[in-house]
Amino acid sequence: MMAHSAEPSSSLSFTSSSHLSNGSVSHNMCSSHGSEPVPNLEVISLSKLSSSLEQLLLESDVDLSDADIVVEGETVGVHRCILASRSNFFNKLFKKDKGSSQKEGKLKYCMNDLLPYGKVGLEAFQIFLSYIYTGKLKPSPMEVSTCVDHVCVHDACRPAINFAVELMYASSIFQIPELVSLFQRRLLNFVGKAFVEDVIPILTVAFHCQLSELVTRCVDRVARSNLDQTSIEKELPLELAAKVKLLRRNYHHDVENNTSVVDDPIRQKRITRIHKALDSDDVELVKLLLSESEMKLDEASALHYAAAYCDPKVVSEVLGLGMADVNLRNSRGYTVLHIAAMRKEPSIIVSLLTKGACASEVTYDGQSAVTICRRLTRPKDYHAKTEKGKETNKDRICIDVLEREVRRNPMAGDAIISSHTMADDLHMKLLYLENRVAFAKVFFPSEAKLAIDIAHAQTSEFAGLSASKGSNGNLREVDLNETPLAQNKRLLTRMQTLMKTVEMGRRYFPHCSEVLDKFMEDDLPDLFYLEKGTPDEQKIKRARFMELKEDVQKAFNKDKANGMPASSSSSSLRGSVNYKARKV
């Protein structure tokens, strides 16, 4: 089950007395006239009791609570008699009144003081409290258990996982065993679906709540993944990090290009020293260590490490050294900007973009930096209203900055494609780029050839169009033995080459690129089928086509007048467009 789609009315109840004894006539279904069943009186009474107790939580005009619990700055009124009867934790707490203060006859507690570690948010506590009072588990609120990515199904995104983790934690600490069992099953379902970095919070809560089955599953998932050992040691308790390391050895699991695999102890020791220097905010020491070891920043993944774990000013200082590749990929295919997006620290993201980080780069599984940010952000945070004099939510800032960079940067695949679905679909981006370069070869053959040669690209002529018509064309044959990861890597490499081709075209033939931009945005769908539609529609299409012909010619003349390389595009262009016009 998804964290946000819990059953409207759970089968969990106050007691196990719903399994009725055979000898209880009043509890059994009976017939007054031997035909119609009489409603189960215990079910009716429990249902009424549940509804009545729920009103204690819902009624705001009359406050009958005798204690307050402050959660995330909000005060939640509770009734000690109910909590004490349902939870041993609260029973002991209220008996001792330890850590509480008396104010106007009402006890007040802070949620952070009740938890030995971790956190439980307001919405999670309200769901938990509702179950305590009514015996029914409500659905998780969408605004805190889903992300703001429009194409995500929310079955394993970080907000869905985090909300289930909070409910699990609350159920364990406040000692409600039936809820612990329920949420453990839910989290077990997440383990196989989630990105490995999103398994970390599940493993952490399972460890603290002593859920051995969940711990075993999570450790196995992490050990079999390509998550580097440095990240594991930074984000997990030492005991769990040691388990993962031992299990990897047992599996003989050597992660390709993973710097955490201790194949060279001396090299690994040097990398560890550099990371510790970064932890100490000592960039001068980093420079000294690099000089002594003759190691490069990129070899130590220093910028990735700083973006993930260090103070933002340290990231700026490392960038200031000018010794690191800001678009370097780590062993998992993540650039530094991808790591910064996972951290959601606006100042780091801005620093990286200022130094040339590419916002349109995608991971091997097709995630851009803005996609990563969106899948980590709850609607509650994204849509939160900023009060005057208070800081804007960092999650919203990160997404806005990255989206603005994507729109500003002409090389971003998302810049032309407005649909979020298309923007996050690697195949759709590739199809767009294939068609764009193909049309550039028709309209501006020599200029396109020059851009292709610079980018070392070999494009398929109208790949998208051929596919849409059912023709194989020049498309690559399908390899049935190709794994999804290998396919994504191949498509990503192809897309990067095509993007470089478009970049060269924009840099050296800007006016031609503007024409192609407008054509791909506004005219491409309609001009494919000039002969279709009503006579008036066809007339409009023909007129637009002639305008396009003039725009192409003007663009060529402008680029040529601005000192761009002369070519034979003009004659080829006129022949191609005039042929299409005659055909129309």
Side-chain angles (χ1 to χ4, degrees), residues 385-401:
K385 293 182 179 179
T386 304
E387 297 181 17
K388 189 174 181 179
K390 293 189 177 181
E391 293 184 357
T392 305
N393 181 271
K394 285 187 176 182
D395 298 10
R396 177 63 182 264
I397 294 176
C398 289
I399 293 174
D400 287 348
V401 166

PDB file of all heavy atoms in Angstrom, residues 385-401:
ATOM      1  N   LYS A 385       2.627  29.568   1.957  1.00  0.00           N
ATOM      2  CA  LYS A 385       2.671  31.024   1.791  1.00  0.00           C
ATOM      3  C   LYS A 385       3.774  31.604   2.667  1.00  0.00           C
ATOM      4  O   LYS A 385       3.917  31.231   3.830  1.00  0.00           O
ATOM      5  CB  LYS A 385       1.314  31.635   2.183  1.00  0.00           C
ATOM      6  CG  LYS A 385       0.173  31.249   1.249  1.00  0.00           C
ATOM      7  CD  LYS A 385      -1.116  31.940   1.666  1.00  0.00           C
ATOM      8  CE  LYS A 385      -2.253  31.576   0.719  1.00  0.00           C
ATOM      9  NZ  LYS A 385      -3.535  32.220   1.106  1.00  0.00           N
ATOM     10  N   THR A 386       4.532  32.492   2.077  1.00  0.00           N
ATOM     11  CA  THR A 386       5.631  33.124   2.812  1.00  0.00           C
ATOM     12  C   THR A 386       5.112  34.323   3.587  1.00  0.00           C
ATOM     13  O   THR A 386       4.551  35.251   3.009  1.00  0.00           O
ATOM     14  CB  THR A 386       6.741  33.587   1.847  1.00  0.00           C
ATOM     15  OG1 THR A 386       7.186  32.466   1.078  1.00  0.00           O
ATOM     16  CG2 THR A 386       7.901  34.185   2.616  1.00  0.00           C
ATOM     17  N   GLU A 387       5.272  34.279   4.889  1.00  0.00           N
ATOM     18  CA  GLU A 387       4.832  35.388   5.728  1.00  0.00           C
ATOM     19  C   GLU A 387       5.852  36.526   5.657  1.00  0.00           C
ATOM     20  O   GLU A 387       7.048  36.302   5.464  1.00  0.00           O
ATOM     21  CB  GLU A 387       4.666  34.918   7.171  1.00  0.00           C
ATOM     22  CG  GLU A 387       3.592  33.857   7.339  1.00  0.00           C
ATOM     23  CD  GLU A 387       3.432  33.442   8.783  1.00  0.00           C
ATOM     24  OE1 GLU A 387       3.910  34.201   9.664  1.00  0.00           O
ATOM     25  OE2 GLU A 387       2.843  32.390   9.046  1.00  0.00           O
ATOM     26  N   LYS A 388       5.354  37.721   5.783  1.00  0.00           N
ATOM     27  CA  LYS A 388       6.207  38.890   5.680  1.00  0.00           C
ATOM     28  C   LYS A 388       7.285  38.849   6.760  1.00  0.00           C
ATOM     29  O   LYS A 388       7.021  38.626   7.930  1.00  0.00           O
ATOM     30  CB  LYS A 388       5.370  40.165   5.843  1.00  0.00           C
ATOM     31  CG  LYS A 388       6.140  41.437   5.536  1.00  0.00           C
ATOM     32  CD  LYS A 388       5.211  42.649   5.582  1.00  0.00           C
ATOM     33  CE  LYS A 388       5.976  43.917   5.239  1.00  0.00           C
ATOM     34  NZ  LYS A 388       5.088  45.113   5.255  1.00  0.00           N
ATOM     35  N   GLY A 389       8.525  39.045   6.317  1.00  0.00           N
ATOM     36  CA  GLY A 389       9.645  39.047   7.247  1.00  0.00           C
ATOM     37  C   GLY A 389      10.237  37.684   7.517  1.00  0.00           C
ATOM     38  O   GLY A 389      11.248  37.574   8.210  1.00  0.00           O
ATOM     39  N   LYS A 390       9.609  36.610   6.964  1.00  0.00           N
ATOM     40  CA  LYS A 390      10.123  35.256   7.169  1.00  0.00           C
ATOM     41  C   LYS A 390      10.712  34.716   5.870  1.00  0.00           C
ATOM     42  O   LYS A 390      10.354  35.146   4.784  1.00  0.00           O
ATOM     43  CB  LYS A 390       9.010  34.327   7.673  1.00  0.00           C
ATOM     44  CG  LYS A 390       8.534  34.670   9.070  1.00  0.00           C
ATOM     45  CD  LYS A 390       7.592  33.587   9.606  1.00  0.00           C
ATOM     46  CE  LYS A 390       7.177  33.903  11.034  1.00  0.00           C
ATOM     47  NZ  LYS A 390       6.275  32.853  11.583  1.00  0.00           N
ATOM     48  N   GLU A 391      11.617  33.765   6.021  1.00  0.00           N
ATOM     49  CA  GLU A 391      12.298  33.198   4.868  1.00  0.00           C
ATOM     50  C   GLU A 391      11.355  32.324   4.051  1.00  0.00           C
ATOM     51  O   GLU A 391      10.482  31.632   4.588  1.00  0.00           O
ATOM     52  CB  GLU A 391      13.502  32.361   5.310  1.00  0.00           C
ATOM     53  CG  GLU A 391      14.617  33.177   5.943  1.00  0.00           C
ATOM     54  CD  GLU A 391      15.822  32.313   6.271  1.00  0.00           C
ATOM     55  OE1 GLU A 391      15.751  31.086   6.065  1.00  0.00           O
ATOM     56  OE2 GLU A 391      16.830  32.864   6.733  1.00  0.00           O
ATOM     57  N   THR A 392      11.553  32.347   2.739  1.00  0.00           N
ATOM     58  CA  THR A 392      10.799  31.465   1.848  1.00  0.00           C
ATOM     59  C   THR A 392      11.288  30.040   2.034  1.00  0.00           C
ATOM     60  O   THR A 392      12.465  29.802   2.319  1.00  0.00           O
ATOM     61  CB  THR A 392      10.997  31.889   0.375  1.00  0.00           C
ATOM     62  OG1 THR A 392      10.648  33.260   0.241  1.00  0.00           O
ATOM     63  CG2 THR A 392      10.131  31.052  -0.548  1.00  0.00           C
ATOM     64  N   ASN A 393      10.389  29.097   1.865  1.00  0.00           N
ATOM     65  CA  ASN A 393      10.757  27.689   2.002  1.00  0.00           C
ATOM     66  C   ASN A 393      11.882  27.330   1.038  1.00  0.00           C
ATOM     67  O   ASN A 393      11.817  27.623  -0.158  1.00  0.00           O
ATOM     68  CB  ASN A 393       9.528  26.819   1.730  1.00  0.00           C
ATOM     69  CG  ASN A 393       9.825  25.345   1.881  1.00  0.00           C
ATOM     70  OD1 ASN A 393      10.228  24.697   0.935  1.00  0.00           O
ATOM     71  ND2 ASN A 393       9.626  24.823   3.077  1.00  0.00           N
ATOM     72  N   LYS A 394      12.922  26.687   1.556  1.00  0.00           N
ATOM     73  CA  LYS A 394      14.095  26.350   0.743  1.00  0.00           C
ATOM     74  C   LYS A 394      13.755  25.404  -0.401  1.00  0.00           C
ATOM     75  O   LYS A 394      14.347  25.482  -1.481  1.00  0.00           O
ATOM     76  CB  LYS A 394      15.184  25.737   1.624  1.00  0.00           C
ATOM     77  CG  LYS A 394      15.921  26.742   2.487  1.00  0.00           C
ATOM     78  CD  LYS A 394      17.078  26.079   3.193  1.00  0.00           C
ATOM     79  CE  LYS A 394      17.886  27.107   3.979  1.00  0.00           C
ATOM     80  NZ  LYS A 394      19.062  26.486   4.635  1.00  0.00           N
ATOM     81  N   ASP A 395      12.826  24.488  -0.157  1.00  0.00           N
ATOM     82  CA  ASP A 395      12.450  23.542  -1.206  1.00  0.00           C
ATOM     83  C   ASP A 395      11.922  24.282  -2.428  1.00  0.00           C
ATOM     84  O   ASP A 395      12.279  23.964  -3.572  1.00  0.00           O
ATOM     85  CB  ASP A 395      11.373  22.577  -0.689  1.00  0.00           C
ATOM     86  CG  ASP A 395      11.864  21.738   0.472  1.00  0.00           C
ATOM     87  OD1 ASP A 395      12.944  22.046   0.981  1.00  0.00           O
ATOM     88  OD2 ASP A 395      11.177  20.790   0.861  1.00  0.00           O
ATOM     89  N   ARG A 396      11.058  25.252  -2.193  1.00  0.00           N
ATOM     90  CA  ARG A 396      10.480  26.029  -3.286  1.00  0.00           C
ATOM     91  C   ARG A 396      11.565  26.835  -4.008  1.00  0.00           C
ATOM     92  O   ARG A 396      11.566  26.939  -5.231  1.00  0.00           O
ATOM     93  CB  ARG A 396       9.390  26.958  -2.746  1.00  0.00           C
ATOM     94  CG  ARG A 396       8.748  27.886  -3.788  1.00  0.00           C
ATOM     95  CD  ARG A 396       8.026  27.073  -4.854  1.00  0.00           C
ATOM     96  NE  ARG A 396       7.444  27.924  -5.871  1.00  0.00           N
ATOM     97  CZ  ARG A 396       6.175  28.327  -5.846  1.00  0.00           C
ATOM     98  NH1 ARG A 396       5.375  27.966  -4.860  1.00  0.00           N
ATOM     99  NH2 ARG A 396       5.714  29.077  -6.818  1.00  0.00           N
ATOM    100  N   ILE A 397      12.481  27.420  -3.241  1.00  0.00           N
ATOM    101  CA  ILE A 397      13.557  28.203  -3.846  1.00  0.00           C
ATOM    102  C   ILE A 397      14.404  27.339  -4.770  1.00  0.00           C
ATOM    103  O   ILE A 397      14.741  27.738  -5.887  1.00  0.00           O
ATOM    104  CB  ILE A 397      14.440  28.842  -2.753  1.00  0.00           C
ATOM    105  CG1 ILE A 397      13.642  29.888  -1.968  1.00  0.00           C
ATOM    106  CG2 ILE A 397      15.678  29.482  -3.373  1.00  0.00           C
ATOM    107  CD1 ILE A 397      14.410  30.494  -0.820  1.00  0.00           C
ATOM    108  N   CYS A 398      14.764  26.144  -4.311  1.00  0.00           N
ATOM    109  CA  CYS A 398      15.599  25.243  -5.121  1.00  0.00           C
ATOM    110  C   CYS A 398      14.919  24.917  -6.445  1.00  0.00           C
ATOM    111  O   CYS A 398      15.550  24.967  -7.512  1.00  0.00           O
ATOM    112  CB  CYS A 398      15.888  23.960  -4.351  1.00  0.00           C
ATOM    113  SG  CYS A 398      17.020  24.171  -2.954  1.00  0.00           S
ATOM    114  N   ILE A 399      13.643  24.564  -6.377  1.00  0.00           N
ATOM    115  CA  ILE A 399      12.909  24.215  -7.598  1.00  0.00           C
ATOM    116  C   ILE A 399      12.807  25.418  -8.522  1.00  0.00           C
ATOM    117  O   ILE A 399      13.039  25.306  -9.738  1.00  0.00           O
ATOM    118  CB  ILE A 399      11.511  23.670  -7.241  1.00  0.00           C
ATOM    119  CG1 ILE A 399      11.633  22.327  -6.508  1.00  0.00           C
ATOM    120  CG2 ILE A 399      10.657  23.498  -8.497  1.00  0.00           C
ATOM    121  CD1 ILE A 399      10.330  21.792  -5.985  1.00  0.00           C
ATOM    122  N   ASP A 400      12.492  26.588  -7.972  1.00  0.00           N
ATOM    123  CA  ASP A 400      12.352  27.791  -8.790  1.00  0.00           C
ATOM    124  C   ASP A 400      13.670  28.157  -9.466  1.00  0.00           C
ATOM    125  O   ASP A 400      13.705  28.519 -10.646  1.00  0.00           O
ATOM    126  CB  ASP A 400      11.862  28.959  -7.936  1.00  0.00           C
ATOM    127  CG  ASP A 400      10.397  28.823  -7.543  1.00  0.00           C
ATOM    128  OD1 ASP A 400       9.715  27.946  -8.116  1.00  0.00           O
ATOM    129  OD2 ASP A 400       9.935  29.590  -6.690  1.00  0.00           O
ATOM    130  N   VAL A 401      14.767  28.069  -8.718  1.00  0.00           N
ATOM    131  CA  VAL A 401      16.079  28.421  -9.283  1.00  0.00           C
ATOM    132  C   VAL A 401      16.437  27.477 -10.426  1.00  0.00           C
ATOM    133  O   VAL A 401      16.884  27.910 -11.497  1.00  0.00           O
ATOM    134  CB  VAL A 401      17.166  28.373  -8.180  1.00  0.00           C
ATOM    135  CG1 VAL A 401      18.559  28.388  -8.798  1.00  0.00           C
ATOM    136  CG2 VAL A 401      17.000  29.544  -7.224  1.00  0.00           C
TER     137      VAL A 401
END
